[in-house]
Amino acid sequence: MAAPRVTITYCAQCNWLLRASWMASELLSTFGAELGAVTLVPGEGGVFTVDVDGRRVWDRAVDEGFPDAATLKRRVRDAALPDWHLGHGDSAG
């Protein structure tokens, strides 16, 4: 099975590159080489989405804002690496 690929699409007009790159860094710091790639894709119109292998795990418009790091890690883990233990990050709901 290929390593999961994460795509973060962010609004370039909104200057959300720093937020997107921080989220990417958090995911890479946690999952490391278990992820095949974390890709940043500039968008527009207030978009901020996170997809794992084409499956949407976060959408700013639907989820009403931005995820905190622990929430995003849980959603990526649940979609791609369900056996991965996040330590204390698993305790929050």
Side-chain angles (χ1 to χ4, degrees):
M1 183 164 136
R5 302 175 71 81
V6 176
T7 303
I8 301 174
T9 304
Y10 66 94
C11 178
Q13 296 168 317
C14 306
N15 295 314
W16 290 342
L17 173 59
L18 185 59
R19 181 184 305 264
S21 63
W22 177 76
M23 293 285 184
S25 176
E26 285 290 314
L27 293 174
L28 288 167
S29 293
T30 298
F31 299 111
E34 295 296 317
L35 296 176
V38 177
T39 305
L40 301 179
V41 178
E44 55 187 33
V47 66
F48 191 92
T49 59
V50 181
D51 298 302
V52 178
D53 290 333
R55 177 179 164 213
R56 179 94 3 117
V57 298
W58 190 270
D59 185 330
R60 188 185 72 83
V62 173
D63 294 300
E64 300 181 351
F66 297 98
D68 59 48
T71 299
L72 183 60
K73 289 175 187 182
R74 275 194 304 276
R75 290 200 182 181
V76 168
R77 184 271 319 266
D78 291 349
L81 302 162
D83 295 329
W84 188 277
H85 182 63
L86 291 170
H88 69 276
D90 270 340
S91 62

Coordinates of all heavy atoms in Angstrom, one line a residue:
M1 N 0.8 -1.2 0.0 CA 0.0 0.0 0.0 C 0.9 1.3 0.0 O 1.8 1.3 0.8 CB -0.9 0.0 1.2 CG -1.9 1.1 1.3 SD -3.1 0.7 2.5 CE -3.2 2.3 3.4
A2 N 0.6 2.2 -0.9 CA 1.4 3.4 -1.0 C 1.1 4.3 0.3 O 0.1 4.3 0.9 CB 1.0 4.2 -2.2
A3 N 2.2 5.1 0.6 CA 2.1 6.0 1.7 C 1.0 7.1 1.4 O 0.9 7.5 0.2 CB 3.4 6.6 2.0
P4 N 0.2 7.5 2.3 CA -0.8 8.5 2.1 C -0.2 9.8 1.7 O 0.8 10.2 2.2 CB -1.6 8.5 3.4 CG -0.8 7.8 4.4 CD 0.2 7.0 3.7
R5 N -1.0 10.5 0.8 CA -0.6 11.8 0.4 C -1.6 12.9 0.9 O -2.8 12.7 0.7 CB -0.5 11.8 -1.1 CG 0.5 10.8 -1.7 CD 0.5 10.7 -3.2 NE 1.2 11.8 -3.8 CZ 2.5 12.0 -3.9 NH1 3.3 11.1 -3.4 NH2 3.0 13.1 -4.5
V6 N -1.1 13.9 1.5 CA -1.9 15.0 2.0 C -1.8 16.2 1.2 O -0.7 16.6 0.8 CB -1.5 15.3 3.5 CG1 -2.3 16.5 4.0 CG2 -1.6 14.1 4.4
T7 N -2.9 16.8 0.8 CA -3.0 18.1 0.1 C -3.7 19.1 0.9 O -4.8 18.9 1.3 CB -3.7 17.9 -1.3 OG1 -3.1 16.8 -2.0 CG2 -3.7 19.1 -2.1
I8 N -3.0 20.2 1.1 CA -3.6 21.4 1.8 C -3.7 22.5 0.8 O -2.8 23.0 0.2 CB -2.7 21.9 3.0 CG1 -2.5 20.7 4.0 CG2 -3.3 23.1 3.6 CD1 -1.5 21.1 5.1
T9 N -5.0 22.8 0.5 CA -5.3 23.9 -0.4 C -5.7 25.1 0.4 O -6.6 25.0 1.3 CB -6.5 23.5 -1.4 OG1 -6.1 22.3 -2.0 CG2 -6.7 24.6 -2.4
Y10 N -5.0 26.2 0.2 CA -5.2 27.4 1.0 C -5.4 28.6 0.1 O -5.1 28.7 -1.0 CB -3.9 27.7 1.9 CG -2.7 28.0 1.0 CD1 -2.4 29.3 0.8 CD2 -2.0 27.0 0.5 CE1 -1.3 29.7 0.0 CE2 -0.9 27.3 -0.3 CZ -0.6 28.6 -0.6 OH 0.5 28.9 -1.4
C11 N -6.1 29.6 0.7 CA -6.4 30.9 -0.1 C -5.1 31.8 -0.1 O -4.7 32.3 1.0 CB -7.6 31.6 0.6 SG -8.0 33.2 -0.2
A12 N -4.6 31.9 -1.3 CA -3.4 32.8 -1.4 C -3.8 34.3 -1.2 O -3.0 35.1 -0.7 CB -2.7 32.6 -2.8
Q13 N -5.0 34.6 -1.7 CA -5.5 36.0 -1.6 C -5.6 36.4 -0.1 O -5.4 37.6 0.2 CB -6.8 36.2 -2.2 CG -6.9 35.9 -3.7 CD -8.3 35.8 -4.2 OE1 -9.1 35.1 -3.6 NE2 -8.6 36.4 -5.3
C14 N -5.9 35.4 0.7 CA -6.1 35.7 2.2 C -4.8 35.6 3.0 O -4.8 35.8 4.2 CB -7.0 34.6 2.7 SG -8.6 34.5 1.9
N15 N -3.7 35.3 2.3 CA -2.4 35.2 2.9 C -2.3 34.1 3.9 O -1.8 34.2 5.0 CB -2.0 36.6 3.6 CG -1.8 37.6 2.6 OD1 -1.1 37.4 1.5 ND2 -2.3 38.8 2.8
W16 N -2.9 32.9 3.6 CA -2.9 31.8 4.5 C -1.8 30.8 4.2 O -1.8 29.7 4.7 CB -4.3 31.1 4.4 CG -5.4 31.9 5.0 CD1 -5.2 32.9 5.9 CD2 -6.8 31.7 4.8 NE1 -6.5 33.4 6.3 CE2 -7.4 32.7 5.6 CE3 -7.5 30.9 4.1 CZ2 -8.8 32.8 5.6 CZ3 -8.9 31.0 4.1 CH2 -9.5 32.0 4.9
L17 N -0.8 31.2 3.5 CA 0.4 30.3 3.2 C 1.1 29.9 4.5 O 1.4 28.8 4.7 CB 1.4 31.0 2.3 CG 2.7 30.2 2.1 CD1 2.5 28.8 1.5 CD2 3.6 31.0 1.2
L18 N 1.3 30.9 5.4 CA 2.0 30.6 6.7 C 1.2 29.6 7.5 O 1.7 28.6 8.0 CB 2.2 31.9 7.5 CG 3.0 31.7 8.8 CD1 4.4 31.1 8.5 CD2 3.1 33.1 9.5
R19 N -0.1 29.7 7.6 CA -1.0 28.8 8.3 C -0.9 27.4 7.7 O -0.8 26.4 8.3 CB -2.4 29.3 8.3 CG -3.4 28.4 9.0 CD -4.8 28.9 8.9 NE -5.0 30.3 9.3 CZ -5.4 30.7 10.5 NH1 -5.7 29.8 11.4 NH2 -5.6 32.0 10.7
A20 N -1.0 27.4 6.3 CA -0.9 26.1 5.6 C 0.4 25.4 5.8 O 0.5 24.2 6.0 CB -1.2 26.3 4.1
S21 N 1.5 26.2 5.7 CA 2.8 25.6 5.9 C 3.1 25.1 7.3 O 3.7 24.1 7.6 CB 3.9 26.5 5.4 OG 3.9 27.7 6.2
W22 N 2.5 25.8 8.3 CA 2.6 25.4 9.7 C 1.9 24.1 9.9 O 2.4 23.1 10.5 CB 2.0 26.5 10.6 CG 2.1 26.0 12.1 CD1 3.2 26.0 12.9 CD2 1.0 25.5 12.8 NE1 2.8 25.5 14.1 CE2 1.5 25.2 14.1 CE3 -0.4 25.4 12.6 CZ2 0.6 24.7 15.1 CZ3 -1.2 24.9 13.6 CH2 -0.7 24.6 14.8
M23 N 0.7 23.9 9.3 CA -0.1 22.7 9.4 C 0.7 21.6 8.7 O 0.7 20.4 9.3 CB -1.5 22.8 8.7 CG -2.4 23.8 9.4 SD -3.1 23.1 10.9 CE -4.2 24.4 11.4
A24 N 1.3 21.8 7.6 CA 2.1 20.8 6.9 C 3.2 20.4 7.8 O 3.5 19.2 7.9 CB 2.6 21.3 5.6
S25 N 3.9 21.3 8.4 CA 5.0 21.0 9.3 C 4.6 20.2 10.5 O 5.3 19.2 10.9 CB 5.7 22.3 9.8 OG 6.7 22.1 10.7
E26 N 3.4 20.5 11.1 CA 2.9 19.7 12.2 C 2.7 18.2 11.7 O 3.0 17.3 12.5 CB 1.6 20.3 12.7 CG 1.8 21.6 13.5 CD 2.5 21.3 14.9 OE1 2.0 20.3 15.6 OE2 3.4 22.0 15.2
L27 N 2.1 18.1 10.6 CA 1.8 16.7 10.1 C 3.1 16.0 9.8 O 3.2 14.8 10.2 CB 0.9 16.8 8.8 CG -0.5 17.3 9.0 CD1 -1.2 17.4 7.7 CD2 -1.3 16.4 9.9
L28 N 4.0 16.6 9.2 CA 5.3 15.9 8.9 C 6.1 15.6 10.2 O 6.7 14.6 10.3 CB 6.2 16.8 8.0 CG 5.6 16.8 6.5 CD1 6.3 18.0 5.7 CD2 5.8 15.5 5.8
S29 N 6.0 16.5 11.2 CA 6.7 16.3 12.4 C 6.1 15.1 13.2 O 6.8 14.3 13.8 CB 6.6 17.5 13.3 OG 7.4 18.6 12.8
T30 N 4.8 14.9 13.0 CA 4.1 13.8 13.7 C 4.3 12.5 13.0 O 4.6 11.5 13.6 CB 2.6 14.1 13.9 OG1 2.5 15.3 14.7 CG2 1.9 13.0 14.6
F31 N 4.0 12.5 11.7 CA 3.9 11.2 10.9 C 5.1 10.9 10.1 O 5.3 9.8 9.7 CB 2.7 11.3 10.0 CG 1.3 11.4 10.7 CD1 0.6 12.6 10.6 CD2 0.8 10.4 11.5 CE1 -0.6 12.8 11.3 CE2 -0.4 10.6 12.2 CZ -1.1 11.7 12.0
G32 N 6.0 11.9 9.9 CA 7.3 11.7 9.2 C 7.1 10.9 7.9 O 6.3 11.2 7.1
A33 N 7.9 9.9 7.7 CA 8.0 9.2 6.5 C 6.8 8.3 6.3 O 6.7 7.7 5.2 CB 9.3 8.3 6.4
E34 N 5.9 8.2 7.2 CA 4.6 7.4 7.0 C 3.8 8.1 6.0 O 2.9 7.5 5.3 CB 3.9 7.3 8.3 CG 4.5 6.5 9.4 CD 4.7 5.0 8.9 OE1 3.8 4.4 8.4 OE2 5.8 4.5 9.2
L35 N 4.0 9.4 5.8 CA 3.3 10.2 4.7 C 4.1 10.2 3.5 O 5.3 10.4 3.5 CB 3.0 11.6 5.2 CG 2.1 11.8 6.4 CD1 2.0 13.3 6.7 CD2 0.7 11.2 6.1
G36 N 3.5 9.9 2.3 CA 4.2 10.0 1.1 C 4.5 11.4 0.6 O 5.5 11.6 -0.1
A37 N 3.6 12.3 1.0 CA 3.8 13.7 0.6 C 2.8 14.6 1.3 O 1.8 14.1 1.7 CB 3.6 13.9 -0.9
V38 N 3.2 15.8 1.6 CA 2.3 16.9 2.0 C 2.5 18.0 1.0 O 3.6 18.6 0.9 CB 2.6 17.3 3.5 CG1 1.7 18.4 3.9 CG2 2.5 16.1 4.4
T39 N 1.5 18.3 0.3 CA 1.5 19.3 -0.8 C 0.7 20.5 -0.5 O -0.4 20.4 0.0 CB 1.0 18.6 -2.1 OG1 1.8 17.4 -2.4 CG2 1.2 19.6 -3.3
L40 N 1.3 21.7 -0.7 CA 0.5 22.9 -0.5 C 0.1 23.4 -1.9 O 0.9 23.5 -2.8 CB 1.4 24.0 0.1 CG 2.0 23.6 1.5 CD1 2.8 24.8 2.0 CD2 0.8 23.3 2.5
V41 N -1.2 23.7 -2.0 CA -1.8 24.2 -3.3 C -2.4 25.5 -3.1 O -3.4 25.6 -2.3 CB -2.8 23.2 -3.8 CG1 -3.4 23.7 -5.1 CG2 -2.2 21.8 -4.0
P42 N -2.0 26.6 -3.8 CA -2.6 27.9 -3.6 C -4.0 27.9 -4.3 O -4.1 27.4 -5.4 CB -1.6 28.9 -4.3 CG -0.8 28.0 -5.2 CD -0.8 26.6 -4.6
G43 N -4.9 28.5 -3.6 CA -6.3 28.7 -4.1 C -6.7 30.1 -3.9 O -5.9 31.0 -3.7
E44 N -8.0 30.3 -4.0 CA -8.6 31.7 -3.8 C -10.0 31.5 -3.2 O -10.5 30.4 -3.1 CB -8.6 32.4 -5.1 CG -9.3 31.7 -6.2 CD -9.1 32.5 -7.6 OE1 -8.0 33.1 -7.8 OE2 -10.0 32.4 -8.4
G45 N -10.6 32.7 -2.9 CA -11.9 32.7 -2.5 C -12.2 32.2 -1.1 O -13.2 31.7 -0.7
G46 N -11.1 32.2 -0.2 CA -11.3 31.8 1.2 C -11.2 30.3 1.4 O -11.5 29.8 2.5
V47 N -10.7 29.6 0.4 CA -10.5 28.1 0.6 C -9.5 27.7 1.6 O -8.4 28.4 1.7 CB -10.3 27.5 -0.8 CG1 -8.9 27.8 -1.3 CG2 -10.4 26.0 -0.7
F48 N -9.8 26.7 2.4 CA -8.8 26.1 3.2 C -9.3 24.7 3.4 O -10.2 24.4 4.2 CB -8.5 26.8 4.6 CG -7.3 26.2 5.3 CD1 -6.1 26.8 5.1 CD2 -7.4 25.1 6.1 CE1 -4.9 26.3 5.7 CE2 -6.3 24.6 6.7 CZ -5.0 25.2 6.5
T49 N -8.7 23.7 2.7 CA -9.1 22.3 2.8 C -7.9 21.4 2.9 O -6.8 21.8 2.5 CB -9.9 21.9 1.5 OG1 -9.1 22.1 0.3 CG2 -11.2 22.7 1.3
V50 N -8.2 20.3 3.5 CA -7.1 19.3 3.7 C -7.7 18.0 3.2 O -8.8 17.5 3.6 CB -6.7 19.1 5.2 CG1 -5.6 18.1 5.3 CG2 -6.2 20.5 5.7
D51 N -7.0 17.3 2.3 CA -7.4 16.1 1.7 C -6.3 15.0 1.9 O -5.1 15.3 1.9 CB -7.6 16.2 0.2 CG -8.8 17.2 -0.2 OD1 -9.9 17.0 0.3 OD2 -8.5 18.2 -0.9
V52 N -6.8 13.8 2.2 CA -5.8 12.7 2.3 C -6.2 11.7 1.2 O -7.3 11.2 1.2 CB -6.0 12.0 3.6 CG1 -5.0 10.8 3.7 CG2 -5.6 13.0 4.8
D53 N -5.3 11.5 0.2 CA -5.5 10.6 -0.9 C -6.9 11.0 -1.6 O -7.6 10.1 -2.0 CB -5.5 9.2 -0.5 CG -4.1 8.7 -0.1 OD1 -3.1 9.3 -0.7 OD2 -4.0 7.8 0.7
G54 N -7.2 12.2 -1.7 CA -8.4 12.7 -2.4 C -9.6 12.7 -1.5 O -10.7 13.2 -2.0
R55 N -9.5 12.3 -0.3 CA -10.7 12.3 0.6 C -10.6 13.5 1.5 O -9.6 13.7 2.2 CB -10.6 11.0 1.5 CG -11.7 11.0 2.5 CD -11.7 9.7 3.3 NE -12.5 9.8 4.5 CZ -12.3 9.3 5.6 NH1 -11.2 8.5 5.7 NH2 -13.0 9.5 6.6
R56 N -11.6 14.3 1.5 CA -11.6 15.6 2.3 C -11.7 15.3 3.8 O -12.6 14.6 4.2 CB -12.8 16.4 1.8 CG -13.0 17.7 2.5 CD -12.3 19.0 1.9 NE -11.7 18.9 0.7 CZ -12.0 19.5 -0.4 NH1 -13.1 20.3 -0.5 NH2 -11.3 19.4 -1.5
V57 N -10.8 15.8 4.6 CA -10.8 15.6 6.0 C -11.0 16.9 6.8 O -11.3 16.9 7.9 CB -9.5 14.8 6.5 CG1 -9.4 13.4 5.9 CG2 -8.3 15.6 6.3
W58 N -10.9 18.0 6.1 CA -11.1 19.3 6.7 C -11.5 20.3 5.6 O -10.9 20.3 4.5 CB -9.9 19.9 7.4 CG -10.4 21.1 8.2 CD1 -10.3 22.4 7.8 CD2 -10.9 21.1 9.5 NE1 -10.9 23.2 8.8 CE2 -11.2 22.4 9.9 CE3 -11.2 20.1 10.5 CZ2 -11.7 22.8 11.1 CZ3 -11.7 20.5 11.7 CH2 -12.0 21.8 12.0
D59 N -12.6 21.1 5.8 CA -13.0 22.1 4.9 C -13.4 23.3 5.8 O -14.4 23.2 6.6 CB -14.2 21.6 4.0 CG -14.6 22.6 3.0 OD1 -14.5 23.9 3.2 OD2 -15.1 22.2 1.9
R60 N -12.7 24.4 5.7 CA -13.0 25.6 6.5 C -14.4 26.0 6.4 O -15.0 26.4 7.4 CB -12.1 26.7 6.1 CG -12.1 27.9 7.0 CD -11.3 29.1 6.5 NE -11.9 29.7 5.3 CZ -12.9 30.6 5.4 NH1 -13.3 31.0 6.6 NH2 -13.4 31.1 4.3
A61 N -15.0 25.9 5.2 CA -16.4 26.4 5.1 C -17.4 25.4 5.8 O -18.4 25.9 6.4 CB -16.8 26.4 3.6
V62 N -17.1 24.1 5.7 CA -18.0 23.1 6.3 C -17.8 23.0 7.8 O -18.7 22.9 8.6 CB -17.9 21.8 5.7 CG1 -18.7 20.7 6.4 CG2 -18.3 21.9 4.2
D63 N -16.5 23.0 8.2 CA -16.1 22.7 9.6 C -16.0 24.0 10.4 O -15.6 24.0 11.6 CB -14.8 22.0 9.6 CG -14.9 20.6 9.1 OD1 -15.6 19.8 9.6 OD2 -14.2 20.3 8.1
E64 N -16.4 25.1 9.8 CA -16.5 26.5 10.4 C -15.2 26.9 11.0 O -15.1 27.2 12.2 CB -17.6 26.4 11.5 CG -19.0 26.1 10.9 CD -20.1 26.1 11.9 OE1 -19.8 26.2 13.1 OE2 -21.3 26.0 11.5
G65 N -14.2 27.1 10.2 CA -12.9 27.6 10.7 C -11.8 26.7 10.4 O -11.8 25.9 9.5
F66 N -10.7 27.0 11.1 CA -9.5 26.3 10.9 C -9.3 25.2 12.0 O -9.7 25.5 13.1 CB -8.3 27.2 11.0 CG -8.3 28.3 9.9 CD1 -8.8 29.5 10.1 CD2 -7.8 27.9 8.6 CE1 -8.8 30.5 9.1 CE2 -7.8 28.9 7.6 CZ -8.3 30.1 7.8
P67 N -8.7 24.1 11.7 CA -8.5 23.1 12.7 C -7.3 23.5 13.6 O -6.4 24.2 13.2 CB -8.1 21.9 11.9 CG -7.4 22.4 10.7 CD -8.1 23.7 10.4
D68 N -7.3 23.0 14.9 CA -6.1 23.1 15.7 C -5.3 21.9 15.3 O -5.8 21.0 14.6 CB -6.4 23.2 17.2 CG -7.2 21.9 17.7 OD1 -6.8 20.8 17.3 OD2 -8.2 22.1 18.4
A69 N -4.0 21.9 15.6 CA -3.1 20.9 15.2 C -3.6 19.5 15.6 O -3.5 18.5 14.8 CB -1.7 21.2 15.7
A70 N -4.0 19.3 16.9 CA -4.4 18.0 17.4 C -5.6 17.5 16.6 O -5.6 16.3 16.3 CB -4.7 18.1 18.9
T71 N -6.6 18.3 16.3 CA -7.8 17.9 15.5 C -7.4 17.5 14.1 O -7.8 16.4 13.7 CB -8.8 19.0 15.5 OG1 -9.2 19.3 16.8 CG2 -10.0 18.6 14.6
L72 N -6.5 18.2 13.5 CA -6.1 17.9 12.1 C -5.3 16.6 12.1 O -5.5 15.7 11.3 CB -5.2 19.0 11.5 CG -4.8 18.7 10.1 CD1 -6.1 18.6 9.2 CD2 -4.0 19.9 9.6
K73 N -4.4 16.4 13.1 CA -3.7 15.1 13.2 C -4.6 14.0 13.4 O -4.4 12.9 12.8 CB -2.7 15.2 14.3 CG -1.5 16.2 14.0 CD -0.6 16.3 15.3 CE 0.4 17.3 15.1 NZ 1.3 17.4 16.2
R74 N -5.6 14.1 14.2 CA -6.6 13.0 14.4 C -7.3 12.7 13.1 O -7.5 11.5 12.8 CB -7.6 13.4 15.5 CG -7.1 13.1 16.9 CD -8.2 13.1 17.9 NE -8.9 14.4 17.9 CZ -8.6 15.5 18.6 NH1 -7.4 15.5 19.3 NH2 -9.3 16.6 18.5
R75 N -7.7 13.7 12.4 CA -8.5 13.4 11.2 C -7.6 12.8 10.1 O -8.0 11.9 9.4 CB -9.1 14.7 10.7 CG -10.2 15.2 11.6 CD -11.2 16.1 10.9 NE -12.2 16.6 11.8 CZ -13.2 17.4 11.4 NH1 -13.2 17.9 10.1 NH2 -14.1 17.8 12.2
V76 N -6.4 13.2 10.0 CA -5.4 12.6 9.0 C -5.1 11.2 9.5 O -5.2 10.3 8.6 CB -4.1 13.5 8.9 CG1 -3.1 12.7 8.1 CG2 -4.4 14.8 8.2
R77 N -4.9 11.0 10.7 CA -4.6 9.6 11.2 C -5.8 8.7 11.0 O -5.7 7.6 10.5 CB -4.3 9.7 12.7 CG -4.0 8.4 13.4 CD -5.1 7.6 14.0 NE -6.1 8.3 14.6 CZ -6.2 8.5 15.9 NH1 -5.3 8.1 16.7 NH2 -7.3 9.1 16.4
D78 N -7.0 9.2 11.3 CA -8.2 8.4 11.1 C -8.4 8.0 9.6 O -8.9 6.9 9.3 CB -9.5 9.1 11.6 CG -9.5 9.2 13.1 OD1 -8.6 8.6 13.8 OD2 -10.3 10.0 13.6
A79 N -8.1 8.9 8.7 CA -8.3 8.7 7.3 C -7.1 7.8 6.7 O -7.4 7.0 5.8 CB -8.3 10.0 6.5
A80 N -5.9 7.9 7.2 CA -4.8 7.3 6.5 C -4.0 6.3 7.3 O -3.5 5.3 6.8 CB -3.8 8.4 6.1
L81 N -3.9 6.5 8.6 CA -3.1 5.6 9.5 C -3.8 5.3 10.7 O -3.4 5.7 11.8 CB -1.8 6.4 9.8 CG -0.9 6.8 8.6 CD1 0.1 7.9 9.0 CD2 -0.3 5.7 8.0
P82 N -4.9 4.6 10.7 CA -5.8 4.3 11.8 C -5.1 3.6 13.0 O -5.6 3.8 14.1 CB -7.0 3.5 11.3 CG -6.5 2.9 10.0 CD -5.4 3.9 9.5
D83 N -4.1 2.9 12.8 CA -3.4 2.3 13.9 C -2.3 3.1 14.6 O -1.7 2.7 15.6 CB -2.7 1.0 13.4 CG -3.7 0.0 12.9 OD1 -4.9 -0.1 13.5 OD2 -3.4 -0.8 12.0
W84 N -2.1 4.3 14.1 CA -1.1 5.2 14.6 C -1.6 5.8 15.9 O -2.7 6.3 16.0 CB -0.8 6.4 13.6 CG 0.3 7.2 14.0 CD1 0.3 8.3 14.8 CD2 1.6 7.2 13.5 NE1 1.5 8.9 14.9 CE2 2.4 8.2 14.1 CE3 2.3 6.3 12.6 CZ2 3.7 8.4 13.9 CZ3 3.6 6.6 12.4 CH2 4.3 7.6 13.0
H85 N -0.8 5.8 17.0 CA -1.2 6.4 18.3 C -0.6 7.7 18.4 O 0.6 7.9 18.2 CB -0.7 5.5 19.4 CG -1.1 6.0 20.8 ND1 -2.4 6.1 21.1 CD2 -0.4 6.4 21.8 CE1 -2.5 6.6 22.4 NE2 -1.2 6.8 22.8
L86 N -1.5 8.7 18.7 CA -1.0 10.1 18.8 C -0.6 10.5 20.2 O -0.4 11.7 20.4 CB -2.1 11.0 18.3 CG -2.4 10.9 16.8 CD1 -3.7 11.7 16.4 CD2 -1.2 11.5 16.0
G87 N -0.6 9.6 21.1 CA -0.2 10.0 22.5 C -1.2 10.8 23.1 O -2.4 10.5 23.0
H88 N -0.8 11.9 23.8 CA -1.8 12.7 24.5 C -2.8 13.4 23.6 O -3.9 13.7 24.0 CB -1.1 13.7 25.4 CG -0.4 14.8 24.6 ND1 0.9 14.6 24.1 CD2 -0.8 16.0 24.2 CE1 1.3 15.7 23.4 NE2 0.3 16.6 23.5
G89 N -2.4 13.5 22.3 CA -3.4 14.1 21.3 C -4.6 13.3 21.1 O -5.6 13.8 20.6
D90 N -4.5 12.0 21.5 CA -5.7 11.1 21.3 C -6.8 11.3 22.3 O -7.9 11.0 22.2 CB -5.3 9.6 21.3 CG -4.9 9.1 20.0 OD1 -5.3 9.7 19.0 OD2 -4.2 8.1 19.9
S91 N -6.4 12.0 23.4 CA -7.3 12.1 24.6 C -8.4 13.1 24.3 O -9.5 13.0 24.9 CB -6.6 12.4 25.9 OG -5.9 13.6 25.7
A92 N -8.1 14.1 23.5 CA -9.1 15.2 23.2 C -10.1 14.7 22.1 O -9.7 13.9 21.3 CB -8.5 16.5 22.8
G93 N -11.3 15.1 22.1 CA -12.3 14.6 21.3 C -12.6 15.2 20.0 O -13.3 14.8 19.2

